[in-house]
Amino acid sequence: MNDEKFTLIAPCHFGLESVLKREIQDLGYNIINVSDGRVTFEGDSKAIARANIFIRTAERILLKCGSFRATTFDDLFEGVKDIPWERYLPRNAKFWVTKATTNRSALFSASAIQSIVKKAMVDRMSKTYHTSHFDEDGDEYPVRIFILKDEVEVTLDTTGVSLHKRGYRKLVGKAPISETLAAALIMLTPWRSDRILVDPFCGSGTFPIEAAMIGANIAPGLNREFTSDKWLKFMTKKEWYEAYDEAASLEKTDIEMNIQGYDLDSEMVKCAIQNAKEAGVDKYIHFQARNVRDLRNPKPYGFLITNPPYGERLEEKEALPELYNMIGESYRGLKDWSMFIITSYEDAERYLGRKADKNRKIYNGMIKSYFLSYMGAKPPKRKPTNGE
């Protein structure tokens, strides 16, 4: 629409900032800052559409409207009132503070922060629109406030329903891994679409489905809507249409992949098949009810990427040594394969039978988890054929 630049913030799982940073750079945007669980970058209004549609590893895309220091509620009120809300919100906008987080700050009552921010916004908009009454019967503009060490950051949530809700996962089992986390973990591995990928604990199919979407270059937000796709004060519908068209044009429809998902529970396998259909990737994945001890594959250089049970309940914990032993044994039977496991089970490496080549700490929600990497041999480089 114009060359105006915006500051955008993409929150993510702690420990996955490097993957998200790479995604944003691949879209062509400048990184402003990387901190724990978030990447801040700069982009034009079209960047809001492209980031929401293309990024696999962020939880949402926030538009930064202002920042200032506040140690009192008066400071907060004045700081929010100084933000040019008329630049973003039309007169009939429905606006509210959907979340306020505060850490190591004088202001700590989330409900009081929410209430004062709303009052300050109304005060500012009253002067612009010459009314003290707002019907709020228009499009939604959810506000999110972050206060860290008395520094306030005021943002608009451009996403709405979190980005991990791709729209394909209609059916889930217990403790499913989120789509954004699964995509980020796959992207932390050297897996490429021409290599075999097996998830022996596939549950509702998230790892295989996200891998197939990455391999076929299907944008994760292609088949869903976003809160900001109706914001017309500083964006246009045309920018959204162009971003969706760009995403659709980049999909690889002629690709072949060997992706497999197994689970002991045949009902979960049915869920996974249905979810893969919803995502439009069922042709790339073979799902089957199978025990991890029966994992065999004659081909070398494959990838095992999985989220095995890690014993939330006591009786499950007692079964873990045998289960992880079994995973280790099956892995040792695969020639030159690499294995990547996310688990919060502290003794995982011990029972897998080998220390991981790399152990990365990742927070899965509030659960401290470990992403264990076991690197197999690299396949030999292909000799170029004539004409290449």
Side-chain angles (χ1 to χ4, degrees):
M1 184 180 181
N2 53 44
D3 296 329
E4 189 179 6
K5 291 286 186 242
F6 298 93
T7 298
L8 302 169
I9 300 161
C12 65
H13 285 271
F14 285 96
L16 298 175
E17 299 84 1
S18 61
V19 190
L20 175 54
K21 178 186 173 185
R22 192 168 73 231
E23 277 204 280
I24 293 165
Q25 287 171 325
D26 287 348
L27 282 176
Y29 302 118
N30 289 331
I31 303 293
I32 295 172
N33 182 43
V34 179
S35 54
D36 285 348
R38 57 170 32 201
V39 179
T40 305
F41 63 104
E42 186 182 60
D44 54 11
S45 50
K46 193 171 175 180
I48 295 169
R50 291 181 76 233
N52 272 301
I53 292 167
F54 282 95
I55 290 177
R56 298 181 192 279
T57 61
E59 292 306 304
R60 57 187 64 251
I61 305 297
L62 304 171
L63 167 61
K64 184 174 172 179
C65 301
S67 58
F68 51 86
R69 188 170 172 76
T71 53
T72 67
F73 285 121
D74 280 346
D75 294 343
L76 179 66
F77 184 90
E78 293 303 326
V80 172
K81 198 174 104 174
D82 281 345
I83 293 169
W85 290 107
E86 62 280 359
R87 175 189 178 195
Y88 307 108
L89 275 62
R91 180 177 175 155
N92 67 343
K94 181 182 180 186
F95 58 100
W96 74 102
V97 181
T98 180
K99 192 166 185 190
T101 19
T102 168
N103 192 1
R104 290 179 281 170
S105 300
L107 303 178
F108 56 84
S109 163
S111 58
I113 292 164
Q114 286 169 298
S115 164
I116 281 156
V117 169
K118 172 85 181 192
K119 279 180 189 151
M121 289 176 73
V122 168
D123 193 294
R124 169 81 188 210
M125 288 175 67
S126 296
K127 291 179 175 61
T128 309
Y129 291 115
H130 310 295
T131 178
S132 56
H133 176 72
F134 293 94
D135 288 329
E136 296 197 41
D137 55 359
D139 296 318
E140 297 184 346
Y141 290 78
V143 177
R144 285 177 177 250
I145 305 288
F146 302 89
I147 309 179
L148 174 62
K149 296 182 189 166
D150 300 323
E151 290 297 327
V152 183
E153 204 166 48
V154 182
T155 70
L156 280 171
D157 177 6
T158 75
T159 302
V161 175
S162 173
L163 288 178
H164 77 265
K165 301 268 193 195
R166 315 281 204 226
Y168 66 74
R169 204 162 73 174
K170 304 284 192 262
L171 307 158
V172 296
K174 59 176 185 172
I177 191 166
S178 88
E179 295 89 329
T180 43
L181 179 54
L185 295 177
I186 294 164
M187 290 160 78
L188 275 175
T189 78
W191 178 78
R192 295 292 173 267
S193 57
D194 59 348
R195 307 275 289 274
I196 300 167
L197 187 152
V198 175
D199 178 0
F201 299 93
C202 73
S204 51
T206 312
F207 268 130
I209 292 168
E210 289 294 323
M213 288 176 76
I214 291 167
N217 208 25
I218 298 169
L222 187 58
N223 295 313
R224 56 161 289 183
E225 296 177 338
F226 302 94
T227 305
S228 54
D229 62 22
K230 299 173 189 68
W231 296 359
L232 300 178
K233 264 264 177 179
F234 56 93
M235 293 185 73
T236 64
K237 275 286 184 198
K238 183 170 178 269
E239 287 172 314
W240 280 96
Y241 294 142
E242 285 173 355
Y244 280 117
D245 287 348
E246 180 193 358
S249 73
L250 292 170
E251 187 181 332
K252 299 172 183 170
T253 50
D254 55 351
I255 194 168
E256 285 183 21
M257 287 183 270
N258 186 344
I259 299 173
Q260 299 166 28
Y262 303 127
D263 202 279
L264 260 183
D265 184 343
S266 57
E267 286 305 309
M268 280 318 308
V269 171
K270 283 180 194 163
C271 288
I273 291 169
Q274 189 54 42
N275 290 340
K277 278 190 180 133
E278 290 281 347
V281 294
D282 49 313
K283 63 182 175 184
Y284 303 120
I285 310 169
H286 171 70
F287 287 109
Q288 192 181 344
R290 186 193 268 197
N291 194 312
V292 68
R293 72 156 62 89
D294 302 324
L295 182 55
R296 310 267 186 283
N297 201 301
K299 292 184 177 168
Y301 311 120
F303 279 71
L304 199 154
I305 304 179
T306 195
N307 173 36
Y310 32 82
E312 299 301 288
R313 295 197 298 272
L314 191 62
E315 65 271 22
E316 289 172 345
K317 265 202 163 47
E318 288 165 2
L320 291 182
E322 187 188 347
L323 178 69
Y324 280 76
N325 250 320
M326 210 188 295
I327 297 168
E329 269 177 42
S330 289
Y331 173 58
R332 285 187 287 278
L334 298 164
K335 183 175 162 50
D336 292 327
W337 278 48
S338 298
M339 176 167 71
F340 299 87
I341 289 182
I342 182 164
T343 180
S344 67
Y345 182 41
E346 301 274 350
D347 289 327
E349 287 174 286
R350 179 182 160 197
Y351 290 109
L352 285 167
R354 191 182 119 199
K355 197 167 164 35
D357 298 315
K358 192 168 183 186
N359 182 345
R360 182 190 281 257
K361 273 197 196 68
I362 285 163
Y363 279 83
N364 184 3
M366 296 314 291
I367 304 170
K368 184 166 81 168
S369 304
Y370 308 93
F371 190 48
L372 308 175
S373 306
Y374 294 86
M375 303 303 294
K378 285 182 180 170
K381 281 205 164 69
R382 289 180 187 156
K383 290 192 174 78
T385 56
N386 291 338
E388 274 195 301

